[in-house]
Amino acid sequence: MRSALLRGRTVAVAVPALALLATVAPSAVADEAPAGSAYGASASVSLLPGVLGDKGISVETGKLARSSTAGPESAQVVDVPLKGLITAKAISSSAKEDGPVTAKAAIVDAALPVLAPLAGSTPKAGVISSECTSTPEGITASSKLVGLDLGKIGDLPVGTSPNQKIGVPGVLQVIVNEQIKHSDGSLTVNALHVKLLGGKKTGALGSGDIVLASATCAKVAGTTTPPPTSPSRPTSPAQPPAEGPGQVSVVPAGAPETGDGSLATVAAR
């Protein structure tokens, strides 16, 4: 399974493989959630007339530049134009489970023209990234926003903590460093989640969601340590659980205050 930029690809399957799958019970081929997964961007929006064109448009991208520990473990798309919603120099993601489970996603030189009518200029960011790590002790997650400028939409304080929200009531909500704990113990971190709230207020853009730089890590089961063979040998103290509810510890993101609308210069990674 693959994804292209803020877009899907088709996979041809040989006839003998189809015949083999037909003999396998459904439970044997059911998808299991990977230990880690990530994607660069996704959009599912319906825009009103006058936003990015005279006619309203609907965009459904799926998860772009998608990766997972089940494969592919990395994905990248360069020079991204997405229906006028998002532009970026590159988006990428990776997911691995060599030791700790890690998942990462990043967008470089991003712009969101769709928000320009509310921001007064095109919102931009040098880097938008997220990362999560899962071990038997718990899950940590963080986001990074370099040179983020949302213009008139609002400013973010330095050291943005999880799930900070700004926007225009009834029209737009922007969630920064969004962290979502799922019922199965997994954790998703979205560096930036733009929610168009619909409505008919002045400045309404439409409805739907745009997610930038998303990473998800599953809860990792602990391993059982056998008792020591020598009673004279002291055992190591138990590892303390991660901080926070549900064994999730959060690393706050560092989001600089916004500037005057110009794109920040970002050092090459």
Side-chain angles (χ1 to χ4, degrees):
M1 180 173 61
R2 305 201 168 192
S3 61
L5 159 70
L6 297 128
R7 283 82 60 180
R9 301 174 186 160
T10 51
V11 178
V13 181
V15 173
L18 290 175
L20 177 62
L21 285 174
T23 65
V24 179
S27 60
V29 296
D31 290 337
E32 290 186 9
S37 61
Y39 62 90
S42 71
S44 177
V45 299
S46 294
L47 300 180
L48 300 174
V51 180
L52 303 181
D54 294 334
K55 297 181 179 179
I57 62 172
S58 295
V59 179
E60 185 82 41
T61 68
K63 297 176 180 179
L64 307 168
R66 185 177 185 179
S67 62
S68 81
T69 51
E73 291 190 345
S74 63
Q76 183 176 24
V77 179
V78 298
D79 296 330
V80 179
L82 179 59
K83 300 283 188 181
L85 298 176
I86 307 164
T87 63
K89 183 176 181 180
I91 63 172
S92 61
S93 71
S94 64
K96 300 179 180 180
E97 50 182 338
D98 298 333
V101 173
T102 59
K104 304 177 182 180
I107 303 177
V108 177
D109 289 346
L112 289 89
V114 66
L115 301 184
L118 293 177
S121 61
T122 300
K124 298 177 181 179
V127 175
I128 300 172
S129 66
S130 65
E131 179 177 357
C132 63
T133 301
S134 181
T135 69
E137 285 72 44
I139 305 174
T140 59
S142 63
S143 298
K144 187 175 183 181
L145 303 164
V146 178
L148 177 65
D149 179 8
L150 296 175
K152 295 178 181 179
I153 293 172
D155 294 339
L156 295 169
V158 175
T160 298
S161 58
N163 301 310
Q164 292 295 300
K165 300 174 183 178
I166 60 174
V168 180
V171 175
L172 170 74
Q173 184 180 79
V174 179
I175 308 173
V176 181
N177 193 22
E178 181 180 43
Q179 302 202 9
I180 305 167
K181 178 69 179 293
H182 304 286
S183 59
D184 62 0
S186 62
L187 177 70
T188 294
V189 51
N190 301 317
L192 206 64
H193 183 178
V194 177
K195 303 180 76 170
L196 305 182
L197 303 178
K200 297 182 179 180
K201 294 186 178 182
T202 301
L205 301 178
S207 60
D209 297 87
I210 300 170
V211 176
L212 303 181
S214 178
T216 299
C217 287
K219 187 176 180 180
V220 176
T223 56
T224 302
T225 303
T229 55
S230 173
S232 61
R233 216 167 174 185
T235 58
S236 300
Q239 193 81 344
E243 298 178 357
Q247 289 190 317
V248 174
S249 111
V250 171
V251 180
E257 291 182 324
T258 59
D260 59 1
S262 61
L263 177 64
T265 301
V266 180
R269 297 179 72 186

